[in-house]
Amino acid sequence: MALEHAIMVSLAERPGTGYEISRQFDRSIGHFWSATHQQIYRTLRKLHVDGLVSYEPIAQDGRPDKKVYSLSDRGRDALHAWVTTPTPIQQLRDDLGLKIRAAHRDDLPELIAELQRHRELHVARLHLYQGFEKDDYPAPDSLSGRRLHQYLVLRGGVRIEEAFIDWCDEVVSALQRELDENP
């Protein structure tokens, strides 16, 4: 997925300034597609040049006008075309998996510590997602439209974190058993 699509998704949900889009990335979209503020502003300019977004200048006292961006009709068409195009299966590229394959017995204590560190980071992210779920979606069965779609993406994040934590537990257990059986 390109950053252009993530920004168009944000604008399809609601028009906003570059700052507001950046904040939305910080709060929600960025958990699934990250971008710096500079990348967002640069991409907004490109989307505008390409006719996929438009903006309305809003005058501000003592400061330059701010631009409130919205998705243009052409942008809506492009977003629709992207949404309905088949998505290739995501290729897994994972340093941790390669490190596990490359590890020798002498590496196992440090590798186990690294897996435990990753596990704790994923537990923290899982708790963050579960907090969003509890606070923002208390009645998921009543959701529809964009709110339902946002909830479903969040549920995907929850499930991924749960699976990663389970995998870390499995790997740590197996590597610890290997260490214990071959002192």
Side-chain angles (χ1 to χ4, degrees), residues 138-152:
D141 291 339
S142 68
L143 298 173
S144 64
R146 291 226 180 265
R147 294 285 293 159
L148 174 62
H149 305 170
Q150 292 166 348
Y151 170 76
L152 293 172

Side-chain angles (χ1 to χ4, degrees), residues 24-42:
Q24 187 176 16
F25 268 74
D26 291 344
R27 287 189 318 267
S28 63
I29 291 175
H31 294 287
F32 299 94
W33 189 266
S34 62
T36 66
H37 293 237
Q38 182 181 8
Q39 290 171 318
I40 290 169
Y41 281 100
R42 184 173 46 242

